[in-house]
């Protein structure tokens, strides 16, 4: 089928018009790094400043602001994480939440000496784990992976044991888009007595996540990628209900305490997932995330995922037809069941290709080694856009020789 046929048959195609910039010819292949804003967000942000903030002032804290990280956390859990209420909160960056979650997990497994992780995880995950290991006197136990794939359960099975405190992995790999077998890996870690922390940065709003069904312990992720929360939008954290009376995190701020307005002499953690908060909630910054979650709920995450698979299948097919003869390889899983929302195309010239594409208003991003990442945010990307972009890649590669 042609891109035009695919767009005509796409039941979600009309949602693209809800995003700023949909009417231009720009090809956006980086919604997995910074999602496009929704048009409604511009209106709602302006209304928030002049109406709610400007009018309600400090009364706003009692009128929903204070609980917003938790109420929106419940929405995210229901819409995109397969998580029941009371287990998800928003705040901080993913990096800071990784720190809090890792410290909470290793403190809950005293006497165990290792954190298991893979060499191809996103840098911040590896760096934070190294810092926590140093602080707590632990050792990092590395898994080597093929950068065009990701971590397999067999690899986890060979390294976990009675020394393992925590396993930290990305559910969807940022380089290849490999989807890890989260339920199997979680069960393997639990059999060894360890906890598991899933990074959902490339999953939330793109693939189906079932944290409760996986029996996950902890998870964190970004809201500026497929959740379109805007640059630096607050991250989210999930902690399973069964851990909420025992897990504690080290940034003991007043808002995560049992009764913030008691202003008491010492810190006692709040009941529930609010214990993972530290300071004043980022109310202003959560508006755009709420807008996108409303849209994802309206469409349904299964339908979003179906479109995502359609877009990445189209990209792989075009790469085979247009780019393979120029030496381009697909460095993502070919089986759509193992592939998240982006496709990485590998060629030694891709760094230079990316620079030229940006000048032509075709915007993918580049990741070593030689990887052009084609991120296809399902609700804001059309099949025609995929085709225009990959035709441009062919033209630029041919010019570069
Ligand atoms: C994007 C991403 C992050 C980003 O962390 P920040 O603290 O928001 O900069 C972390 N982990 C993974 C796996 C990511 O893809």
């Amino acid at each position: 089928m042609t891109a035009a046929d695919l767009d005509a048959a796409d039941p979600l195609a009309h949602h693209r018009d809800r995003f700023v910039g949909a009417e231009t010819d720009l090809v956006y292949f980086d919604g997995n790094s910074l999602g496009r804003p929704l048009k409604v967000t511009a209106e709602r942000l302006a209304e928030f400043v002049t109406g709610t903030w400007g009018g309600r002032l400090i009364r706003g804290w009692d009128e929903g602001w204070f609980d917003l990280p938790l109420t929106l956390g419940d929405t995210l859990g229901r819409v995109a994480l397969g998580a029941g209420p009371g287990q998800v909160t928003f705040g901080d960056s993913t990096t800071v939440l990784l720190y809090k979650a890792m410290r909470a997990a290793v403190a809950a497994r005293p006497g165990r000496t290792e954190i298991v992780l893979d060499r191809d995880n996103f840098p911040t995950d590896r760096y934070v784990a190294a810092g926590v290991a140093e602080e707590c006197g632990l050792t990092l136990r590395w898994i080597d992976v093929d950068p065009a794939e990701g971590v397999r359960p067999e690899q986890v099975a060979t390294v976990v044991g009675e020394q393992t405190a925590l396993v930290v992995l990305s559910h969807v790999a940022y380089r290849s888009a490999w989807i890890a077998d989260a339920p199997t890996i979680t069960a393997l870690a639990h059999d060894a007595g360890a906890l598991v922390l899933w990074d959902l940065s490339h999953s939330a709003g793109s693939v189906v996540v079932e944290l409760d069904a996986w029996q996950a312990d902890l998870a964190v992720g970004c809201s500026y990628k497929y959740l379109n929360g805007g640059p630096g939008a607050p991250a989210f954290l999930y902690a399973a209900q069964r851990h909420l009376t025992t897990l504690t995190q080290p940034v003991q701020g007043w808002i995560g305490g049992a009764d913030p307005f008691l202003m008491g002499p010492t810190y006692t953690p709040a009941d529930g997932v609010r214990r993972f908060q530290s300071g004043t909630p980022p109310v202003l910054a959560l508006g755009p995330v709420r807008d996108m979650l409303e849209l994802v709920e309206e469409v349904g995450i299964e339908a979003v995922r179906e479109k995502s698979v359609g877009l990445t299948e189209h990209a792989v097919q075009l790469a085979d037809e247009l780019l393979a003869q120029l030496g381009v390889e697909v460095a993502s899983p070919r089986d759509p069941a193992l592939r998240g929302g982006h496709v990485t195309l590998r060629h030694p010239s891709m760094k230079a290709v990316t620079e030229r594409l940006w000048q032509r208003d075709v915007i993918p991003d580049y990741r070593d080694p030689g990887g052009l990442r084609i991120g296809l945010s399902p609700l804001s990307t059309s099949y025609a856009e995929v085709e225009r972009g990959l035709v441009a890649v062919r033209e630029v590669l041919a010019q570069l020789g």
Side-chain angles (χ1 to χ4, degrees), residues 21 65 209 288 308 391:
W65 296 351
V209 173
S308 170
V391 166

Side-chain angles (χ1 to χ4, degrees), residues 66-189:
F66 186 76
D67 289 328
L68 186 62
L70 301 177
T71 52
L72 202 62
D74 284 350
T75 305
L76 173 65
R78 179 179 74 240
V79 169
L81 302 184
Q87 304 177 101
V88 181
T89 184
F90 277 95
D92 308 313
S93 63
T94 307
T95 300
V96 171
L97 290 183
L98 282 166
Y99 177 72
K100 290 178 171 183
M102 286 186 206
R103 283 290 304 267
V106 301
R109 287 293 179 272
R112 291 180 173 241
T113 56
E114 291 185 356
I115 299 175
V116 167
L117 69 173
D118 72 285
R119 289 199 194 277
D120 208 36
N121 205 345
F122 192 82
T124 215
D125 302 59
R126 292 181 279 112
Y127 302 163
V128 171
V132 169
E134 208 169 299
E135 249 175 5
C136 301
L138 303 172
T139 306
L140 298 181
R141 183 78 179 258
W142 295 99
I143 297 172
D144 285 310
V145 297
D146 176 344
E149 298 189 352
V151 180
R152 295 170 182 274
E154 311 85 84
Q155 295 174 297
V156 176
T158 60
V159 294
V160 293
E162 58 190 22
Q163 73 288 353
T164 314
L166 175 65
V167 177
V168 183
L169 297 171
S170 284
H171 175 231
V172 173
Y174 81 104
R175 212 191 298 271
S176 67
W178 170 270
I179 302 180
D181 181 348
T184 304
I185 291 172
T186 301
L188 278 167

Side-chain angles (χ1 to χ4, degrees), residues 88-371:
V88 181
T89 184
F90 277 95
D92 308 313
S93 63
T94 307
T95 300
V96 171
L97 290 183
L98 282 166
Y99 177 72
K100 290 178 171 183
M102 286 186 206
R103 283 290 304 267
V106 301
R109 287 293 179 272
R112 291 180 173 241
T113 56
E114 291 185 356
I115 299 175
V116 167
L117 69 173
D118 72 285
R119 289 199 194 277
D120 208 36
N121 205 345
F122 192 82
T124 215
D125 302 59
R126 292 181 279 112
Y127 302 163
V128 171
V132 169
E134 208 169 299
E135 249 175 5
C136 301
L138 303 172
T139 306
L140 298 181
R141 183 78 179 258
W142 295 99
I143 297 172
D144 285 310
V145 297
D146 176 344
E149 298 189 352
V151 180
R152 295 170 182 274
E154 311 85 84
Q155 295 174 297
V156 176
T158 60
V159 294
V160 293
E162 58 190 22
Q163 73 288 353
T164 314
L166 175 65
V167 177
V168 183
L169 297 171
S170 284
H171 175 231
V172 173
Y174 81 104
R175 212 191 298 271
S176 67
W178 170 270
I179 302 180
D181 181 348
T184 304
I185 291 172
T186 301
L188 278 167
H190 287 173
D191 288 346
L195 296 175
V196 185
L197 167 56
W198 288 105
D199 190 324
L200 304 177
S201 293
H202 282 274
S203 312
S206 158
V207 301
V208 175
V209 173
E210 292 287 353
L211 288 173
D212 287 347
W214 300 346
Q215 306 232 21
D217 301 293
L218 290 153
V220 298
C222 296
S223 65
Y224 50 80
K225 293 176 176 169
Y226 294 105
L227 295 176
N228 303 59
F236 63 84
L237 175 142
Y238 162 96
Q241 191 70 47
R242 64 184 178 282
H243 294 309
L244 286 175
T245 49
T246 47
L247 288 184
T248 55
Q249 54 90 6
V251 189
Q252 302 184 161
W254 68 310
I255 299 294
D259 189 352
F261 297 98
L262 193 63
M263 311 268 170
T266 53
Y267 172 85
T268 312
D271 287 337
V273 75
R274 189 161 56 79
R275 63 177 52 203
F276 279 92
Q277 294 179 27
S278 297
T280 301
V283 174
L284 180 60
L286 285 173
V289 185
R290 184 201 49 208
D291 299 339
M292 185 61 181
L293 286 175
E294 277 178 19
L295 175 56
V296 176
E297 182 152 49
E298 181 189 324
V299 172
I301 191 70
E302 280 84 9
V304 170
R305 168 66 177 157
E306 210 172 299
K307 166 109 186 247
S308 170
V309 169
L311 288 168
T312 57
E313 283 287 88
H314 189 50
V316 169
Q317 192 192 330
L318 288 170
D320 288 342
E321 283 170 21
L322 304 175
L323 303 174
Q325 70 241 46
L326 297 173
V328 173
E329 284 171 23
V330 175
S332 291
R334 282 187 171 268
D335 177 355
L338 296 177
R339 185 177 67 226
H342 66 272
V343 174
T344 297
L345 302 177
R346 204 186 278 164
H347 184 281
S349 304
M350 284 309 190
K351 196 165 188 183
V353 168
T354 306
E355 279 165 29
R356 298 233 184 154
L357 288 171
W358 280 35
Q359 288 161 9
R360 300 176 48 155
D361 270 356
V362 174
I363 322 226
D365 66 16
Y366 174 80
R367 291 289 181 270
D368 274 328

